[in-house]
Amino acid sequence: MTYSVKVPESGRYQLSFKVLQEDKPNSPVFRTVKVDGAVPFAELAHYRFDPVAKWENQTLSGKDGKPFEVYLEAGKHDLTLVADASPVAPIILDLKAMMLEVGDLGLSVKKLTGNQPDAARDWKLEEYLPNVTKQFDGWIATLKADQKALAEVYGESAKRSTEGVSLALIMDKLKKLKAEPDKIPTRLSELSEGSSSVTQALGDLQSTLEKQPLLMDRFYVHDGKADLPNARASFLKKFGSKSKEFFASFTQDTYSTTDVDADTIEVWVSRSQQYVELMQNMADSTFTKKTGKKVKFSVMPNEQKLILANSGNQQPDVALGVSVGTPYELAIRGAATDLTQFTDFKEVIRNFSPGAFMPMMVDNKVYALPETQDFYVQFYRKDILNKLKIPVPDTWNDVTGILPELQRNGLSYFVPLSGSAGSKPFMFTAPFIYQFGGDLYAKDGMSAAIDSEESVAGLKFMTDLYSLYSVPLQVPNFYHSFRYGTLPVGISNFETYVKLMSAAPEIANSWDIAVHPGVPQQDGSVSRWATGSGQSAMIFDKSKKQDESWELLKWWMSTKTQSDFATNLQTIYGPEYMWNTANLEAFKELPWPEKHKEVILEQWKYLKEVPKTPGSYMLEREISNVWTDTVFYGANIRAAVDSSSIIVDREIRRKMEEFGYMKDGKVVKPYIVPQMETVEDWMKTDEKK
């Protein structure tokens, strides 16, 4: 962080900081202190701030307690503090290297035992891995050296610090494993897998050492004679502040859904208060300041409240964070605003993926904008695949090709279908149909198209993955399986990405992502179609502020607002608060690894959401039934599809009659099934203009 200060006259000044550091008790943190972009002298290159449990003024001083002085010319200067973990960098490097070695040993044991060790069997591990005891001796010796290095950096508090205690615990675990090496095959959960393993402890310790938390309330540039203000508030001030907070808790309900003024745009948001508070602050400081239009954001605890509010004529003007299926359900009942009526609609949608609009369209009219966007990509463990000399699959043929080698070592490949214990939703089944060139609905929308040759081929491969290639039927949590190496490669989404980025330090440099596997085409390309349901933003038809609401929607989904919101979210609440905006231009500016963004943007070229139609819920259920009948009961895939098609077609016709598209079994009004080509044409038309 860099702060600008104005010095009244030239001279020597001391630097004091009002700080609090209680996140790492008994552990100092370090900062590089710069003035006008340069370190004034060596002592400020890795300056130590000792832990303090209460606010305290600390003046930059030497080991003898004498304050440092910095010469400053009169005028403006930049004061910079840089979080600095370099004093413990050698220890961090040791831990990283050790993590890789422990992981390699765990994988070698898996290859030996097939990942299914018999607890009753006696293993002579040193006959197969003769250097295993020496490895443990080397790790223990390294950790002892790291203990000494930590003591030099931390001083007397090293043993009491979190890091010192962790080092001692890791050594203890390694000594116990070394004492009985032949039992390691049945104790991998203590070595390289699970939340209490050595690998996990090494990763957590590395993360703890890297973090250098320091709260700073203010700083002072002063001469040695100045009396600094007390760092702690008096009892009366504390009492007054807490009293105000107490009474305010009974009266203030800032972000609840309440009545608003007639000239205020009312927005309901299906997110937590942290998000809504930031949205309100940004709207007040930018949108309202620029347009003069006031906005009131409120937390919407339950999406069903939208339907009830609309029925009672108490709906908001705008709803944000709603699931992509909700605008369709409201639109087909006349409760949502058609966004294509706005003159600049085609210009606004250029920053989005065409396939994201499919579930929000009725009769070629769009009733919401995509707000956030999910992605399904391949996650793979570089360390494990390299050890087994297995390439990252590019097509489904590649996946089936590597499965024998994975399974030979007790590993496998994860397909999202395995993460759904009951019904299989469209987001997991539709990609197989799309990639094989099939479709879900007939062109007129009055029946299903899952009985076409292409659709059946996709469904057959989907079921063959389980009945023929034996991928796991059920995986309770892919993140844990991936983290511990039992499923080193598989398809997953944004949720897994966030968890791996923020909560798996022990494999931080051992995994990567690649595009979704697909089906090779005759022209040499690969069909990688996948879904990407996120959340949407819509305007209610009953709103009397249509133009104002559209202006707000454009502001919210603009590249600058989305980019600023994503950055502010992570700056304020932490790196785990990642924002997967649907605005592609804003996504390019997110503070994510560039290589990962390239992969995700490439996969989004194949984003194709499932359109909503009357009766689509029955199609979703019956595709799930086809999978169940084929995989669990051995039914013939063609027979299962034909049986389900009859049920789906009957329900679609019934719903079409309900909404006025059919009467007495005859089509009286055409139903237009949303097509990606339609949205792409809108975007091309606007680009030509």
Side-chain angles (χ1 to χ4, degrees):
M1 296 291 294
T2 297
Y3 305 90
S4 293
V5 294
K6 192 173 182 180
V7 176
E9 59 183 58
S10 301
R12 295 185 177 276
Y13 290 89
Q14 297 177 10
L15 304 178
S16 298
F17 301 86
K18 178 182 172 182
V19 295
L20 174 68
Q21 202 287 89
E22 57 181 353
D23 288 347
K24 294 174 66 174
N26 302 311
S27 302
V29 296
F30 299 88
R31 290 291 184 273
T32 298
V33 182
K34 297 180 180 180
V35 177
D36 295 329
V39 179
F41 37 84
E43 288 82 355
L44 296 186
H46 314 292
Y47 188 80
R48 167 179 172 147
F49 284 90
D50 289 318
V52 285
K54 295 181 180 180
W55 288 104
E56 184 178 286
N57 291 326
Q58 291 192 13
T59 301
L60 300 187
S61 306
K63 293 181 180 180
D64 57 1
K66 184 179 179 181
F68 293 132
E69 291 184 336
V70 179
Y71 181 80
L72 299 175
E73 294 283 354
K76 184 180 176 182
H77 294 274
D78 289 338
L79 176 63
T80 303
L81 292 179
V82 183
D84 178 25
S86 57
V88 291
I91 302 175
I92 294 173
L93 292 174
D94 283 345
L95 298 176
K96 285 183 178 180
M98 195 179 301
M99 280 170 56
L100 293 174
E101 293 171 5
V102 172
D104 283 347
L105 176 59
L107 188 59
S108 297
V109 174
K110 284 183 183 179
K111 291 176 69 175
L112 174 64
T113 63
N115 201 35
Q116 295 177 338
D118 184 354
R121 179 175 177 179
D122 293 329
W123 294 92
K124 299 295 183 183
L125 195 63
E126 291 180 284
E127 291 184 7
Y128 302 96
L129 302 172
N131 294 321
V132 65
T133 303
K134 291 182 179 179
Q135 273 189 301
F136 278 95
D137 287 334
W139 294 335
I140 293 169
T142 298
L143 292 176
K144 285 182 178 179
D146 289 338
Q147 277 186 321
K148 291 181 180 179
L150 189 70
E152 292 177 4
V153 176
Y154 282 14
E156 295 180 0
S157 65
K159 289 185 178 180
R160 302 193 308 274
S161 68
T162 303
E163 297 89 329
V165 172
S166 296
L167 281 171
L169 288 173
I170 294 171
M171 279 196 291
D172 186 57
K173 287 183 180 182
L174 290 174
K175 288 176 182 178
K176 289 180 180 178
L177 289 168
K178 176 199 168 187
E180 298 179 299
D182 293 340
K183 292 186 178 181
I184 289 177
T186 58
R187 295 172 64 183
L188 283 179
S189 60
E190 298 177 42
L191 178 68
S192 59
E193 298 177 4
S195 58
S196 60
S197 65
V198 171
T199 303
Q200 177 70 43
L202 288 169
D204 291 342
L205 176 54
Q206 175 189 320
S207 178
T208 302
L209 286 167
E210 288 175 343
K211 291 178 180 177
Q212 300 292 314
L214 181 67
L215 286 175
M216 186 173 73
D217 182 61
R218 63 185 62 189
F219 66 90
Y220 306 94
V221 180
H222 61 96
D223 60 25
K225 300 177 183 178
D227 291 327
L228 300 182
N230 198 323
R232 301 169 195 171
S234 66
F235 172 78
L236 290 177
K237 284 187 177 181
K238 290 180 180 179
F239 181 79
S241 176
K242 292 299 179 182
S243 297
K244 289 179 181 179
E245 290 180 15
F246 175 74
F247 288 108
S249 68
F250 292 99
T251 57
Q252 294 185 357
D253 201 4
T254 312
Y255 299 106
S256 62
T257 52
T258 55
D259 294 334
V260 298
D261 299 334
D263 60 344
T264 300
I265 304 171
E266 185 177 10
V267 185
W268 288 4
V269 186
S270 183
R271 293 194 181 90
S272 63
Q273 184 168 320
Q274 294 102 310
Y275 290 84
V276 177
E277 184 176 7
L278 179 57
M279 294 164 75
Q280 183 72 66
N281 291 338
M282 290 182 63
D284 291 343
S285 61
T286 56
F287 179 77
T288 301
K289 187 176 181 180
K290 181 179 179 181
T291 65
K293 300 179 177 71
K294 293 188 292 184
V295 186
K296 171 66 166 66
F297 288 89
S298 302
V299 175
M300 177 172 54
N302 192 329
E303 213 171 277
Q304 295 301 316
K305 192 173 182 179
L306 286 175
I307 299 172
L308 297 172
N310 186 72
S311 301
N313 203 30
Q314 294 180 337
Q315 73 290 327
D317 299 301
V318 176
L320 302 178
V322 297
S323 58
V324 291
T326 299
Y328 173 88
E329 298 297 341
L330 291 167
I332 204 168
R333 292 166 174 83
T337 296
D338 170 24
L339 303 183
T340 61
Q341 67 179 315
F342 297 107
T343 55
D344 53 353
F345 168 77
K346 292 180 181 178
E347 179 184 350
V348 171
I349 66 172
R350 281 187 302 175
N351 290 334
F352 301 95
S353 299
F357 289 91
M358 298 300 98
M360 298 176 280
M361 294 174 64
V362 181
D363 292 337
N364 278 355
K365 295 177 180 178
V366 178
Y367 291 90
L369 292 179
E371 187 182 13
T372 61
Q373 196 161 281
D374 207 342
F375 50 81
Y376 283 89
V377 294
Q378 280 189 115
F379 292 79
Y380 64 94
R381 287 283 298 270
K382 294 185 293 185
D383 53 343
I384 295 177
L385 295 192
N386 289 340
K387 181 81 173 178
L388 298 176
K389 297 181 180 179
I390 293 176
V392 179
D394 183 58
T395 67
W396 283 113
N397 291 335
D398 296 336
V399 173
T400 57
I402 68 172
L403 272 170
E405 182 64 23
L406 286 171
Q407 291 165 346
R408 188 160 37 247
N409 290 285
L411 310 172
S412 194
Y413 188 94
F414 175 74
V415 179
L417 278 165
S418 303
S420 176
S423 178
K424 310 297 180 184
F426 272 143
M427 68 179 73
F428 300 152
T429 58
F432 292 99
I433 295 174
Y434 289 149
Q435 289 182 11
F436 278 82
D439 211 336
L440 294 168
Y441 309 103
K443 291 183 178 180
D444 62 359
M446 299 298 167
S447 60
I450 58 173
D451 56 352
S452 68
E453 290 300 322
E454 295 82 2
S455 297
V456 171
L459 292 171
K460 184 178 186 303
F461 180 77
M462 179 180 75
T463 56
D464 281 350
L465 282 171
Y466 295 87
S467 56
L468 186 62
Y469 297 104
S470 300
V471 298
L473 278 172
Q474 289 189 4
V475 178
N477 192 311
F478 171 63
Y479 161 70
H480 286 303
S481 299
F482 182 82
R483 185 180 185 182
Y484 301 140
T486 55
L487 286 173
V489 58
I491 303 163
S492 197
N493 61 351
F494 173 66
E495 181 183 357
T496 299
Y497 183 79
V498 174
K499 289 179 179 178
L500 290 172
M501 289 292 289
S502 59
E506 75 278 11
I507 59 168
N509 300 309
S510 301
W511 64 275
D512 211 337
I513 61 173
V515 289
H516 196 294
V519 177
Q521 305 297 296
Q522 292 183 351
D523 61 359
S525 64
V526 179
S527 176
R528 306 184 190 278
W529 297 112
T531 55
S533 294
Q535 295 168 313
S536 61
M538 60 173 289
I539 301 172
F540 276 83
D541 189 62
K542 291 181 181 179
S543 170
K544 296 179 181 179
K545 309 181 189 76
Q546 294 290 318
D547 291 336
E548 294 90 337
S549 297
W550 176 241
E551 288 300 316
L552 176 67
L553 221 57
K554 289 193 298 181
W555 166 81
W556 172 240
M557 292 313 305
S558 66
T559 300
K560 184 176 186 336
T561 303
Q562 287 291 295
S563 178
D564 288 348
F565 181 75
T567 303
N568 290 337
L569 200 61
Q570 289 191 277
T571 302
I572 296 171
Y573 297 113
E576 64 272 18
Y577 279 79
M578 305 178 80
W579 179 251
N580 54 326
T581 177
N583 184 316
L584 302 183
E585 293 304 312
F587 182 83
K588 294 176 183 177
E589 299 178 10
L590 296 185
W592 296 15
E594 289 298 323
K595 289 184 178 180
H596 290 176
K597 287 195 290 187
E598 290 174 8
V599 172
I600 295 166
L601 287 167
E602 178 64 26
Q603 182 56 48
W604 272 344
K605 294 179 182 178
Y606 297 92
L607 175 66
K608 190 174 184 180
E609 261 303 314
V610 177
K612 300 279 286 186
T613 69
S616 59
Y617 58 87
M618 186 61 73
L619 176 58
E620 185 174 37
R621 191 187 80 175
E622 285 304 314
I623 292 177
S624 178
N625 288 342
V626 167
W627 183 90
T628 302
D629 292 343
T630 307
V631 173
F632 283 109
Y633 305 116
N636 177 274
I637 185 70
R638 170 60 76 174
V641 169
D642 289 344
S643 177
S644 289
S645 294
I646 295 171
I647 298 172
V648 174
D649 291 349
R650 185 187 300 128
E651 183 65 12
I652 289 177
R653 287 194 296 270
R654 187 182 74 82
K655 296 298 290 186
M656 287 294 183
E657 290 209 12
E658 179 183 334
F659 289 105
Y661 292 96
M662 295 184 76
K663 187 174 182 180
D664 298 328
K666 295 182 180 180
V667 178
V668 295
K669 184 173 68 171
Y671 183 87
I672 304 174
V673 179
Q675 301 292 331
M676 276 185 61
E677 292 75 15
T678 303
V679 181
E680 289 171 343
D681 287 342
W682 290 340
M683 294 179 175
K684 290 176 183 176
T685 301
D686 190 70
E687 286 174 358
K688 289 178 182 178
K689 288 182 182 179

